[in-house]
Amino acid sequence: MSIVAMKSLDLSGKRVLIREDLNVPIKDGVITSDVRLQAALPTLKDALAQGAAVLVASHLGRPTEGEPEAKYSLAPVADYLAKHLDAPVRFETDYLSGVDVKAGELVLLENVRFNVGEKKNSAELSEQYANLCDVFVMDAFGTAHRAQASTEGVIRAAAAQGKAVCSGNLLTEELSALSRALDNPAAPVLAIVGGSKVSTKLDVLLSLADKCDSIVVGGGIANTFLAATGVNVGASLYEPDLIDTAKEIMTKTQILLPSEVVVADKSQIDFEDFLGSLAKADAVVKSVNDIGDNEMILDISEASANEIAKHIKSAATILWNGPVGVFEVDKFGTGTQILSLAVKDSAGFSIAGGGDTLAAIDKYQVADDVSYLSTGGGAFLEFVEGKTLPAIAALAESNK
């Protein structure tokens, strides 16, 4: 796949439209996590340093198109960028007919999902985006799996107008890291896949089974695999209709399962206040062969986590998506913590992605020791599955 990188272009004096993923959590006008903003800054700084007139587009949340709401406004992000960029920053809400922007200046455009036709990849809206720039930069890996006007549509529209289209620093690094982990990885290759259901990660598991020497499964996914081995998982979340699928996956690669787990009695759990009730519930360590009918598996034990950690530390390539327990509650987070520290201590190349994974990495302070943190959630999973991401395909085809 040949994609032009922004670093290879001369942007001096050019109007450059950069699609970033600035979809950050905002509460009462305050940004509560700036991880995605920090990831976007290098691309923005490079474009400004080259003397480009920079326009930045992003979505935020899921507003109704054509009905702007203050809670979905990117205005707080504009304030953040103004504080973190050594350049003039302006915020524009009315921009589809054109924007005045000078070299060395950055203009943040209001939420693209306020525009009618964004999600349906409107050709007219795509053209309007393309008309804003001389160069379009796709830097939002987290939205690359969506064929929308500000992601895939604008790339094709800009290319059709004879304009340059390229990947930004973040997207270039993301694709490089994923390629290293998936295309020709150093062996042994290990994956950590957590989540509530096998069905939501089935394609990922099937794809990884052909690439990995071993897979650590966690959460409800692990429960289904445990059930496939004949274990009574009690009242735990699992998918009996996918037991045969779990057995099939186990014939393709080594599935690392715990011999001990941490359980709680279902009667102590209020599913309307799940985390709150877990904080009060009794956490009991049990052999997987001794789980009671009314008990729910909520983590793997310290001893089992330490055994699995040995495999992680000896892996040369590690892909990580999902925790192995309800790590938000400390008494059910020991497994995820131990595996996080094992990834940290591994000398292998590690790549991690997904919102819960990044939250666990942040909680256990191992970010600096993970080789690459993917900003994509759904895009990360679809890439691992081997699916074609619309925006990536458009970039590749536009540069043939």
Side-chain angles (χ1 to χ4, degrees):
M1 184 185 298
S2 178
I3 294 176
V4 173
M6 188 186 85
K7 283 182 176 292
S8 68
L9 300 179
D10 179 6
L11 304 180
S12 178
K14 301 285 180 62
R15 294 168 60 88
V16 179
L17 174 59
I18 305 176
R19 176 53 159 103
E20 292 287 359
D21 183 1
L22 309 179
N23 183 30
V24 294
I26 298 175
K27 185 175 182 179
D28 300 325
V30 178
I31 296 168
T32 57
S33 172
D34 68 349
V35 173
R36 285 177 173 158
L37 304 183
Q38 286 292 327
L41 287 176
T43 301
L44 305 183
K45 289 178 178 178
D46 275 6
L48 289 166
Q50 281 203 48
V54 180
L55 302 164
V56 180
S58 178
H59 72 287
L60 180 75
R62 298 180 178 179
T64 301
E65 289 185 2
E67 300 178 17
E69 292 183 67
K71 68 178 180 179
Y72 294 121
S73 175
L74 282 166
V77 176
D79 293 337
Y80 179 97
L81 294 178
K83 294 174 183 176
H84 290 79
L85 293 172
D86 187 21
V89 174
R90 200 170 80 245
F91 183 58
E92 287 287 348
T93 57
D94 183 10
Y95 53 85
L96 291 177
S97 297
V99 181
D100 289 327
V101 56
K102 300 174 183 176
E105 180 184 24
L106 183 143
V107 174
L108 177 63
L109 310 179
E110 180 60 287
N111 194 339
V112 293
R113 288 188 178 170
F114 287 172
N115 301 325
V116 176
E118 167 63 21
K119 289 185 178 181
K120 291 186 177 180
N121 203 7
S122 156
E124 180 182 358
L125 184 57
S126 298
E127 288 279 348
Q128 288 178 298
Y129 291 144
N131 291 339
L132 296 174
C133 64
D134 303 310
V135 178
F136 177 77
V137 180
M138 179 60 182
D139 203 36
F141 178 74
T143 65
H145 62 310
R146 298 190 179 106
Q148 298 182 348
S150 69
T151 57
E152 192 252 13
V154 62
I155 294 171
R156 299 192 184 281
Q161 293 176 8
K163 296 174 178 178
V165 295
C166 62
S167 61
N169 299 2
L170 181 60
L171 180 57
T172 301
E173 292 170 3
E174 188 95 34
L175 294 176
S176 176
L178 283 165
S179 177
R180 179 175 174 181
L182 296 169
D183 294 343
N184 189 27
V189 182
L190 176 144
I192 304 168
V193 182
S196 59
K197 295 182 179 181
V198 171
S199 54
T200 61
K201 301 277 179 79
L202 180 58
D203 290 339
V204 171
L205 289 165
L206 289 170
S207 177
L208 289 175
D210 293 328
K211 296 181 173 74
C212 296
D213 298 286
S214 57
I215 301 176
V216 180
V217 288
I221 293 174
N223 300 339
T224 300
F225 278 89
L226 284 169
T229 68
V231 167
N232 170 28
V233 296
S236 307
L237 173 68
Y238 82 110
E239 294 170 287
D241 57 321
L242 287 175
I243 284 178
D244 287 342
T245 302
K247 290 179 178 178
E248 177 191 347
I249 292 171
M250 286 190 284
T251 66
K252 296 183 176 183
T253 190
Q254 180 185 25
I255 298 295
L256 299 173
L257 292 167
S259 57
E260 284 186 342
V261 291
V262 184
V263 302
D265 194 287
K266 186 178 179 181
S267 64
Q268 294 183 315
I269 301 172
D270 177 358
F271 290 93
E272 292 185 1
D273 181 25
F274 187 61
L275 295 181
S277 63
L278 283 187
K280 302 173 185 176
D282 296 322
V284 181
V285 175
K286 282 202 168 184
S287 163
V288 294
N289 298 312
D290 296 329
I291 299 168
D293 290 341
N294 203 46
E295 291 176 328
M296 296 186 68
I297 302 171
L298 297 166
D299 193 14
I300 61 178
S301 76
E302 181 178 355
S304 281
N306 283 327
E307 282 300 311
I308 293 172
K310 294 176 184 177
H311 293 267
I312 295 172
K313 290 177 183 178
S314 63
T317 303
I318 302 166
L319 291 105
W320 180 13
N321 179 260
V324 295
V326 188
F327 73 96
E328 296 92 342
V329 179
D330 288 345
K331 68 180 79 175
F332 300 110
T334 300
T336 301
Q337 181 178 22
I338 290 172
L339 299 195
S340 298
L341 295 174
V343 174
K344 173 186 175 182
D345 294 338
S346 170
F349 175 78
S350 54
I351 180 169
D356 287 340
T357 312
L358 297 183
I361 286 171
D362 184 55
K363 179 173 181 176
Y364 301 122
Q365 300 180 346
V366 299
D368 291 344
D369 296 286
V370 177
S371 305
Y372 191 82
L373 298 178
S374 171
T375 56
F380 177 85
L381 291 177
E382 289 193 19
F383 197 98
V384 171
E385 289 167 21
K387 292 182 178 177
T388 299
L389 307 189
I392 305 303
L395 283 175
E397 292 167 16
S398 298
N399 288 302
K400 285 182 178 177

